[in-house]
Amino acid sequence: MTERRLAVVTGAASGIGAATAALLLARGHAVLATDIAADGLAPLAAAGAETVVADLSTDAGRAAVIDAADAWMGALGAPLDWLVNAAGMIVLKPIGEVSGDDLRRAFDVNVGSAFILTQRLGERMRDGGAVVSFSSPSAKFVATTEAAAYALTKAAISQVTRSFAKAYAPRGIRVNALSPGITDTPMQARVLREVSEQRGIPEAELSAARLATVPMGRSAPPEEIAGVVAWLLSDAAAYMTGQVVNVDGGMVMW
């Protein structure tokens, strides 16, 4: 029988975050799911998750999640085991139009939330726990210049991962990141829609061009990515820390 673990999952209202929270619940773990979108959290609440609506781009939103986690752990009488930093947003603009506000917002959501929650919830995590954050193939090469601000934040996540992996290693807490390729999520649908509009080409043409960069020739459902997240959290990955794992159908092979 699998030992029940306590996991906080951010960005849990849709996409990979939702799939990860649902998978952990299905495997009998306790989940605190958070997102800015209340409606998207409802299915997880119905499945037994504790939910918190919070804007993780703000100090107040991060504090709300930390306070909720403290109360939740107190009620369950157990420390935190896992943290999944799946919250994220994307800026899609021609690179010459990206503003300082765009950069600040992207960093606050994608990097600031992962850093602060890994810092603060890591303090509350049991020795031997695990953290998984999300990088992106865009951190390693440029395919879509309209996503330059997003790519910048995902490169930063790789370093956040390495820094906390080093800091937490004496406690046996593993900190890794996942770099998912083209995944069937609302964010991916938005990329196709908005970038095709900006370039003046059909969505189908852009989608075909993107899939042509994937040796396996397909996108992934979010459940496939969630399975790798669950593996990284598990004891099966007990000797793995400070890594950015590519899960992208062969798009990146280094």
Side-chain angles (χ1 to χ4, degrees), residues 59-153:
D59 289 338
R62 296 164 195 160
V65 171
I66 293 161
D67 289 345
D70 282 340
W72 176 65
M73 288 185 286
L76 293 176
L80 185 65
D81 295 282
W82 298 333
L83 168 64
V84 179
N85 290 308
M89 60 88 69
I90 191 167
V91 174
L92 293 167
K93 288 184 175 182
I95 195 168
E97 297 178 14
V98 175
S99 68
D101 284 343
D102 292 328
L103 291 174
R104 281 186 287 273
R105 174 69 174 168
F107 262 89
D108 283 345
V109 176
N110 298 351
V111 183
S113 67
F115 190 103
I116 296 300
L117 291 182
T118 302
Q119 177 194 69
R120 299 293 307 283
L121 292 178
E123 295 169 352
R124 293 155 166 78
M125 189 173 286
R126 68 169 179 85
D127 291 357
V131 179
V132 175
S133 300
F134 282 83
S135 186
S136 165
S138 65
K140 293 186 175 181
F141 68 91
V142 179
T144 308
T145 58
E146 294 88 347
Y150 173 81
L152 193 62
T153 67

Side-chain angles (χ1 to χ4, degrees), residues 90 92-93 141-147 182-183 187-214 217-219 251:
I90 191 167
L92 293 167
K93 288 184 175 182
F141 68 91
V142 179
T144 308
T145 58
E146 294 88 347
I182 300 172
T183 309
M187 182 182 288
Q188 168 62 15
R190 184 183 160 209
V191 169
L192 290 175
R193 183 178 65 253
E194 295 188 16
V195 174
S196 64
E197 289 176 356
Q198 291 174 22
R199 295 184 184 180
I201 60 174
E203 281 189 38
E205 180 181 332
L206 178 61
S207 179
R210 286 166 61 80
L211 289 177
T213 68
V214 182
R218 67 172 178 87
S219 60
M251 182 187 295

